[in-house]
Amino acid sequence: MPQLTSRTTSRRGLLFGTAAVSAGAFLTGCTSNETKDESPAGSDRPAADDRPGKPVTIGFAGPQADHGWLNAINDNAQNRAKKYSDVTLEITEGSNDTAAQIGQIETLINKKVDVLVVLPADGKALTQVGLKAMRAGIPVVNLDRIFNTPQAYRCWIGGDNYGMGLNAGHYIGEKLKGKSGARVVELAGLDNLELTKQRTQGFDDALKNYPNITKVARQAAEFTVESGQAKMAQLLQAQSKFDALWNHDDDQGVGALRAVEQAGRDDFLMVGGAGALSAFQAIQQDDGVLKATVLYPPSMAASAIDLARALGQGKGVGGLAEFEIPASITLYSAVVDKDNVDQYLSTGFK
């Protein structure tokens, strides 16, 4: 196992350089199969590619994989690291206990890993340990749930919660555009999470573009199959008629669909969230209420490994003119329906 303990001047540049981009095109440089070096325009720094380079030890710390999406996060990170012969991945046992996760990250800091990738169970609560790593000269890639200050990470990469709601709302809005007095309901996730509030805000903002549509009910579930089934049953009982449902999460959507089937309802369209394989398969079959889902790609964990490797090797990103890698990368929440579901099947998480 490579043990790289030196902290160079270039490392400090990596820690405190600034740039921002919305993801989509940026990672091609980190995953390119090109055999030649490509440098960002205006710099002499090589872009990261697949060829073996300086050995990098990456510490990875995430929450407990008690959800299909979180399990896919771990799988994406580990599989991506295996792709690189120059990467050693030090992965912790996931925990939803804040103190335990802080302890795991401090262990990785003490091991002097070259880069940290952290998906905090609670971004606010883990901000101080992110700051501790950065002050120790270890760049942090903050994955998804964001720390309270940019000083606690070198680069943030994550999904677009607001964009999920926005795109779900626009999809439903276009489907109901010609319907007078259209009614929609929302099955949200955990209301104590900022991401849930952002998803609802995006959905509400999208619906403002469709004056014929009224949101008549909202119920918060807990991102679990059981809660999805129970809360959806309550919605169905309270609302004898509506035209569309947006469900924030495909895992809880499994339960929601069970409740719909038990109630014998098929008089509305449903849009899911995140991109579970079960949702893709239901959309592909097109024999039920689920017609689309908006993505929150767990592939962000693989991209985080690419970013960590590039940071550890002091390399830039192909396709960008910037000398440093970006400080912030927001993934796009694409809408997947029957027209494009085949393209996304391989990305679905279980």
Side-chain angles (χ1 to χ4, degrees):
M1 178 186 302
Q3 293 293 329
L4 305 180
T5 59
S6 63
R7 299 290 180 259
T8 65
T9 301
S10 63
R11 168 67 60 81
R12 287 186 59 82
L14 287 170
L15 286 174
F16 299 106
T18 59
V21 69
S22 179
F26 113 92
L27 278 175
T28 55
C30 287
T31 59
S32 169
N33 289 320
E34 296 290 331
T35 57
K36 61 181 181 179
D37 273 337
E38 293 183 5
S39 299
S43 84
D44 57 2
R45 170 170 292 183
D49 58 28
D50 285 353
R51 291 175 300 167
K54 174 185 174 182
V56 178
T57 300
I58 300 172
F60 182 89
Q64 183 179 346
D66 54 2
H67 181 280
W69 186 86
L70 288 170
N71 188 62
I73 283 284
N74 290 342
D75 287 346
N76 270 269
Q78 292 180 72
N79 291 337
R80 196 63 161 193
K82 289 174 184 175
K83 172 183 174 180
Y84 299 119
S85 61
D86 51 20
V87 168
T88 297
L89 189 67
E90 292 268 0
I91 190 165
T92 66
E93 182 179 350
S95 176
N96 290 329
D97 180 84
T98 298
Q101 194 178 20
I102 289 171
Q104 291 167 350
I105 295 168
E106 287 179 335
T107 297
L108 292 171
I109 294 171
N110 291 335
K111 285 185 175 181
K112 295 183 171 59
V113 297
D114 297 297
V115 190
L116 270 171
V117 176
V118 180
L119 198 167
D122 183 322
K124 180 180 179 181
L126 268 76
T127 297
Q128 288 302 314
V129 78
L131 285 166
K132 182 176 182 178
M134 292 287 285
R135 289 166 180 161
I138 301 174
V140 176
V141 178
N142 182 192
L143 180 58
D144 195 42
R145 299 173 190 170
I146 195 165
F147 294 137
N148 263 13
T149 171
Q151 296 184 73
Y153 59 86
R154 167 57 184 84
C155 177
W156 174 85
I157 179 169
D160 186 355
N161 288 293
Y162 179 85
M164 284 182 75
L166 195 70
N167 289 346
H170 279 303
Y171 181 86
I172 288 172
E174 290 302 308
K175 293 296 182 183
L176 302 179
K177 202 169 186 179
K179 185 176 180 61
S180 178
R183 298 159 57 89
V184 303
V185 298
E186 179 183 8
L187 184 64
L190 284 162
D191 260 344
N192 64 336
L193 296 178
E194 185 62 28
L195 64 89
T196 300
K197 300 171 187 175
Q198 292 169 351
R199 292 178 187 186
T200 291
Q201 186 63 58
F203 188 59
D204 289 346
D205 285 352
L207 293 182
K208 291 175 184 176
N209 295 284
Y210 305 94
N212 64 308
I213 299 176
T214 302
K215 187 169 79 171
V216 296
R218 180 185 184 276
Q219 187 70 255
E222 300 173 3
F223 294 132
T224 64
V225 173
E226 295 76 17
S227 69
Q229 184 171 353
K231 298 300 183 179
M232 190 67 224
Q234 292 176 21
L235 275 174
L236 292 167
Q237 186 173 16
Q239 302 295 326
S240 60
K241 182 172 175 55
F242 56 88
D243 301 289
L245 158 74
W246 182 44
N247 162 54
H248 285 206
D249 175 73
D250 287 332
D251 267 13
Q252 72 184 25
V254 172
L257 287 170
R258 286 178 187 169
V260 170
E261 184 178 355
Q262 288 172 357
R265 296 279 293 271
D266 61 0
D267 54 331
F268 61 91
L269 70 91
M270 174 177 170
V271 176
L277 179 60
S278 61
F280 290 161
Q281 291 169 337
I283 291 166
Q284 189 179 47
Q285 291 167 9
D286 196 24
D287 58 1
V289 297
L290 184 60
K291 301 301 181 184
T293 190
V294 287
L295 298 188
Y296 200 79
S299 57
M300 65 178 73
S303 298
I305 296 299
D306 289 334
L307 290 164
R309 176 175 177 261
L311 282 167
Q313 294 180 343
K315 293 185 177 180
V317 175
L320 292 180
E322 309 307 319
F323 189 75
E324 304 287 356
I325 72 163
S328 180
I329 300 157
T330 303
L331 305 184
Y332 183 68
S333 292
V335 177
V336 177
D337 62 9
K338 65 180 181 180
D339 293 331
N340 63 353
V341 66
D342 291 348
Q343 167 186 343
Y344 289 95
L345 269 177
S346 64
T347 70
F349 60 86
K350 297 180 180 179

